[in-house]
Amino acid sequence: MTHDNLANAEWTQRADLGALVAALGADNLRWVGGAVRDTLLGLPVKDIDAATALHPEQVMERLRGAGIKCVPTGFEHGTVTAVLESGPVEVTTLRKDVATDGRRATVAFAERWQDDAARRDFTINALYAHPETLEISDFFGGLADLDARRVRFIGDAQERIREDHLRILRYYRFQARFGSTLDEEGEEACAALASMLKGLSRERVAMELLALLALPDPQATVQRMFDRGVLPVILPEVGEEGLQRFTALVAVEQARGAMPDPIRRLAAMLPADSKTAEQVAARLRLSNAYKKRLARLADRARRPGDARVLAYREGKDIARDLLLLADQPITPLEDWDIPRFPLRGGTIVERGVHAGPEVARIMRAVEDRWTAEGFPDAARVEELLAEVMQSNSHM
């Protein structure tokens, strides 16, 4: 079975991929995973992955023999990255699971494409395309699921989840991205085994959660995660009010043409308390920058006020987030550069004020009036300075 989308895709016609195929042999190689899935759906392709019947040392030998740079990025697991002109390609030897504990798997190399497919998570991720004929090998009904926009586990859903607990969150992320037809078995399995998420590393949970929240419109999926008891396992701080704020924010983003942002959306879901936000960030092992930003955005008690003054004080990114969270216009920030305050402490000292706290106090007073007036030019700042100093002389 072939598909026009694959035949017409820019990436399947790349010359450097042709060289890769020639080096490894077309019958030893299949394009697999996201590149095949997304191409069939007419979506942009980011990364290209290949499965091969060759063992990693054979892959490296053949690639080097063909003058193709390669890096053993996951050699013990069978993965070699071919560094090509148009971008890297991960080439992984066919594998089968020997043992799993829900967090990691012990694998052995396999000989059959179907064995490799059987260890993958969802049917739509187990589609293999021949590099020359583009014939698709579909062992578990992935093409039908693509047509139905259904995210379905391969084989028994609970068994797949027990192999890797993160598949619960991956299921919901894929459902939010691709799904329209719900798979009842998958939904029930995720709900039944949700407590297993507690044993995962916080970094893996955060990665999947933020990837889900970054999707254009994950509202329905997040609501189901809450209703089925999955979201409370990883975010017990989120209640119905948090989901309502999240839904409202998504609507505001769409109405104002703002790009989705996972930290902004996570902040909307959390209570209006910076300490709680810091605790969540720490639990999810978020970076210090994300932790600081999440705490500031969760502090919704302070209203944004003037958009440009807010941006001047806290930066355009934080200002945009706070305005969206408060359902206020972000248009004042478009095509506007934050101005530089033209007054320096030396100018105040030249006016007879001794260096020290008084200079700082005058600077703040002038700056407050400057921002309140909409950032006027340097000539007006000189006038504001004179007015402030005149006022001080009467105190």
Side-chain angles (χ1 to χ4, degrees):
M1 182 178 187
T2 61
H3 286 259
D4 289 342
N5 281 10
L6 281 172
N8 296 328
E10 181 181 357
W11 68 270
T12 61
Q13 302 172 47
R14 280 170 40 181
D16 56 355
L17 287 187
L20 175 69
V21 173
L24 299 181
D27 290 338
N28 294 322
L29 197 72
R30 299 290 186 275
W31 309 130
V32 67
V36 177
R37 178 200 65 221
D38 291 353
T39 300
L40 293 176
L41 290 172
L43 300 174
V45 169
K46 294 182 179 179
D47 302 312
I48 299 172
D49 296 317
T52 181
L54 301 174
H55 284 204
E57 60 273 11
Q58 294 175 297
V59 172
M60 295 195 68
E61 180 182 357
R62 293 196 181 197
L63 291 180
R64 287 171 174 168
I68 298 175
K69 181 180 178 180
C70 54
V71 181
T73 47
F75 200 77
E76 67 280 9
H77 299 295
T79 300
V80 172
T81 298
V83 182
L84 305 179
E85 182 179 351
S86 299
V89 174
E90 285 195 353
V91 181
T92 303
T93 302
L94 301 179
R95 300 180 296 180
K96 57 184 177 181
D97 289 338
V98 175
T100 59
D101 63 4
R103 292 175 295 175
R104 63 186 66 85
T106 301
V107 300
F109 296 144
E111 296 180 358
R112 301 191 309 158
W113 304 104
Q114 185 167 349
D115 291 336
D116 188 73
R119 69 177 300 274
R120 296 178 181 268
D121 47 13
F122 310 118
T123 62
I124 61 175
N125 291 338
L127 300 172
Y128 296 70
H130 191 284
E132 289 184 345
T133 68
L134 298 181
E135 180 181 357
I136 296 174
S137 297
D138 176 16
F139 302 102
F140 300 103
L143 289 173
D145 289 331
L146 269 189
D147 288 339
R149 290 300 185 109
R150 177 173 48 239
V151 180
R152 182 168 61 88
F153 286 96
I154 291 173
D156 181 80
Q158 290 204 17
E159 183 179 344
R160 293 285 83 76
I161 291 172
R162 288 193 174 95
E163 291 169 351
D164 184 352
H165 304 158
L166 193 68
R167 285 173 173 169
I168 294 174
L169 298 183
R170 281 178 58 82
Y171 167 81
Y172 284 108
R173 176 165 65 86
F174 274 73
Q175 181 66 40
R177 185 180 176 196
F178 302 113
S180 60
T181 301
L182 291 182
D183 178 61
E184 292 298 331
E185 181 188 357
E187 292 278 314
E188 293 299 328
C190 289
L193 302 180
S195 62
M196 290 184 170
L197 290 170
K198 296 177 181 178
L200 288 173
S201 75
R202 298 299 92 188
E203 291 87 350
R204 295 185 76 198
V205 170
M207 177 185 68
E208 283 295 331
L209 176 64
L210 295 183
L212 168 65
L213 294 180
L215 293 173
D217 191 357
Q219 297 173 79
T221 298
V222 171
Q223 182 67 55
R224 286 205 323 281
M225 291 174 68
F226 181 81
D227 294 340
R228 302 308 300 267
V230 175
L231 190 65
V233 175
I234 58 174
L235 284 177
E237 297 83 0
V238 177
E240 286 286 2
E241 291 185 357
L243 291 180
Q244 292 172 7
R245 288 192 300 270
F246 170 65
T247 297
L249 172 62
V250 173
V252 170
E253 290 172 344
Q254 293 173 344
R256 301 196 187 281
M259 294 295 292
D261 183 274
I263 296 298
R264 182 198 305 138
R265 289 176 169 184
L266 178 58
M269 297 167 70
L270 296 176
D273 176 57
S274 58
K275 294 297 183 184
T276 299
E278 289 175 354
Q279 292 169 0
V280 170
R283 190 175 71 239
L284 294 177
R285 305 287 196 273
L286 299 184
S287 67
N288 287 334
Y290 275 175
K291 180 180 179 180
K292 181 178 179 180
R293 182 173 166 224
L294 187 66
R296 175 63 186 97
L297 299 185
D299 183 10
R300 293 183 291 274
R302 290 181 284 170
R303 304 300 294 174
D306 182 271
R308 291 183 173 180
V309 173
L310 181 65
Y312 175 77
R313 299 293 186 189
E314 304 203 40
K316 289 180 76 171
D317 291 341
I318 290 292
R320 185 181 295 106
D321 289 339
L322 291 171
L323 291 166
L324 290 168
L325 286 164
D327 192 10
Q328 293 188 14
I330 57 175
T331 48
L333 302 183
E334 296 175 1
D335 301 321
W336 180 75
D337 295 324
I338 297 176
R340 182 178 179 183
F341 185 41
L343 180 62
R344 294 291 173 264
T347 302
I348 299 174
V349 173
E350 291 172 358
R351 302 293 177 89
V353 179
H354 292 294
E358 181 63 11
V359 171
R361 192 189 69 77
I362 293 174
M363 284 273 288
R364 285 194 299 271
V366 175
E367 186 177 29
D368 287 343
R369 294 181 62 176
W370 177 66
T371 58
E373 290 189 10
F375 312 98
D377 59 19
R380 177 56 181 155
V381 171
E382 287 287 341
E383 295 174 357
L384 292 174
L385 174 59
E387 292 172 8
V388 169
M389 294 189 68
Q390 179 68 22
S391 176
N392 286 347
S393 68
H394 294 300
M395 293 178 63

